[in-house]
Amino acid sequence: MSLSPERDREFDFTTKHFATVRDELYDYAGIVLADHKQDMAYNRLVRLLRDLKLNSFDDYLAFLDQNPAEFTQFINALTTNLTAFYREKHHFDFIRDHIIPEIVNSGERRIRGWSAGCSLGEEPYSLAMTLLDAGVDPLRWDLRLLATDIDSKVLQSAQSGVYAYERVKTLPKSLLSRWFLKGKGKRDGHVKVRSELQDMITFKYLNLMQDWPVQGPLDFIFCRNVMIYFDQDTQARLLQRMAALLKPNGYLFVGHSEALARHASSFQLVGKTIYRKCE
Ligand SMILES: C[S@@+](CC[C@H](N)C(=O)[O-])C[C@H]1O[C@@H](n2cnc3c(N)ncnc32)[C@H](O)[C@@H]1O
């Protein structure tokens, strides 16, 4: 049975094809594809079929089965990577106004943060700018940010630190001139983040469904707009694992539409979508 027989699709995409795609994605990445995402799945995967010069989804799924390397493209195609610099700015203000003063008062000069599901890198670079703009001196402090994602393509782009000007044009001018270099010639219309920011961040491939080679204890974890794609059991498991990595009173930041109330027994809500690990 075709999913949308009323629509003219270049390739037949049946409920069986969709079920296979959905199961593969869930088993590997924990991402739940609801039934209404069938069109989205088709539109994203059809490009891969064309690139591979295949003639049907049967052929594509068989090819995927026999070519583990192609699985990376499959995952990259199905992740949703929407992000922005200083998305939900109040989270960055909270770091400046609460977390840094708390660490300073404790006498420590060490900060460890993790951007889990960092996408194209705007989130970890915004974290790095927040720390440095707040006066945390990388020469006198031990600063490390880890930025991870399951999508190897966005990770590569994040690591390069190059962005279309469009993506930064609404940032305050002072921030732009302090932290971004304007591209010239071939790079016209682009900016590149300054190396001081890149030096603070380690970008790594990490599937949240697998082992986390992450060294704690962490001061904060940003896992924003990622768990929204997972089911309740997966979310509960991840929250427990994140709590174990945070230091006592460490912070977890989630996305604006992610309510953790039911699973957050290890956390206390201390701000809008900001949680503190209970001691
Ligand atoms: C919508 S983006 C959110 C980006 C950023 N955190 C923000 O809020 O702006 C979600 C990211 O989570 C990543 N992701 C999805 N499933 C994942 C998994 N199982 N392990 C690691 N990252 C995952 C996606 O590749 C994507 O880049």
Side-chain angles (χ1 to χ4, degrees):
M1 184 182 76
S2 289
L3 291 171
S4 305
E6 72 282 7
R7 261 177 240 170
D8 277 342
R9 280 185 172 150
E10 187 180 349
F11 302 100
D12 208 22
F13 189 58
T14 65
T15 36
K16 202 161 154 241
H17 292 138
F18 179 65
T20 306
V21 166
R22 195 189 49 208
D23 293 352
E24 294 270 357
L25 183 66
Y26 179 78
D27 289 348
Y28 185 74
I31 297 172
V32 176
L33 269 192
D35 282 346
H36 69 272
K37 297 277 176 74
Q38 289 169 359
D39 276 346
M40 182 204 87
Y42 174 85
N43 289 329
R44 291 185 181 187
L45 293 176
V46 78
R47 297 178 209 151
L48 303 183
L49 258 79
R50 287 190 201 116
D51 288 350
L52 294 164
K53 307 210 180 332
L54 294 173
N55 294 319
S56 72
F57 269 91
D58 282 338
D59 288 353
Y60 172 68
L61 294 174
F63 185 83
L64 200 58
D65 225 21
Q66 289 148 20
N67 296 276
E70 184 57 28
F71 197 71
T72 304
Q73 310 308 323
F74 171 83
I75 294 294
N76 290 355
L78 291 172
T79 53
T80 297
N81 308 116
L82 185 76
T83 187
F85 282 101
Y86 293 98
R87 184 180 194 185
E88 291 163 64
K89 182 162 176 304
H90 66 103
H91 284 165
F92 301 92
D93 294 344
F94 188 90
I95 291 188
R96 183 195 58 210
D97 298 339
H98 297 274
I99 299 186
I100 296 175
E102 275 175 21
I103 297 175
V104 168
N105 287 339
S106 76
E108 270 198 72
R109 291 294 178 269
R110 175 188 181 276
I111 299 182
R112 291 286 181 276
W114 179 20
S115 164
C118 66
S119 191
L120 292 152
E122 284 97 325
E123 182 175 280
Y125 287 125
S126 302
L127 287 169
M129 290 188 277
T130 301
L131 297 178
L132 298 185
D133 283 340
V136 176
D137 178 353
L139 296 176
R140 295 170 55 209
W141 283 62
D142 177 10
L143 293 179
R144 283 313 312 159
L145 295 173
L146 174 67
T148 64
D149 206 282
I150 197 175
D151 182 332
S152 58
K153 196 168 170 205
V154 291
L155 211 48
Q156 208 181 358
S157 173
Q159 204 148 17
S160 77
V162 175
Y163 295 91
Y165 182 71
E166 281 297 299
R167 298 181 77 92
V168 297
K169 69 176 185 197
T170 55
L171 294 178
K173 290 266 175 301
S174 56
L175 211 73
L176 265 178
S177 58
R178 181 160 185 208
W179 295 119
F180 294 87
L181 301 166
K182 260 194 163 171
K184 291 191 187 115
K186 239 175 43 185
R187 289 248 186 255
D188 194 28
H190 288 78
V191 293
K192 187 174 192 306
V193 298
R194 286 191 178 271
S195 58
E196 293 97 302
L197 302 180
Q198 289 180 300
D199 290 348
M200 279 172 63
I201 307 171
T202 305
F203 288 98
K204 273 215 168 97
Y205 177 91
L206 186 147
N207 177 359
L208 288 166
M209 299 305 118
Q210 298 176 350
D211 287 342
W212 300 352
V214 178
Q215 184 118 39
L218 303 175
D219 296 281
F220 58 83
I221 298 175
F222 270 48
C223 189
R224 308 185 310 160
N225 311 297
V226 180
M227 286 189 282
I228 196 168
Y229 300 104
F230 303 152
D231 60 24
Q232 303 266 328
D233 287 350
T234 307
Q235 290 181 11
R237 262 198 322 275
L238 293 186
L239 287 175
Q240 266 187 358
R241 293 175 71 191
M242 288 185 196
L245 264 180
L246 285 168
K247 69 181 196 188
N249 289 324
Y251 293 90
L252 171 66
F253 296 78
V254 299
H256 62 282
S257 57
E258 295 170 304
L260 303 186
R262 278 210 276 155
H263 309 301
S265 58
S266 322
F267 292 99
Q268 178 194 2
L269 187 66
V270 291
K272 201 170 139 217
T273 54
I274 305 172
Y275 294 82
R276 184 165 53 202
K277 180 181 166 179
C278 305
E279 276 191 274

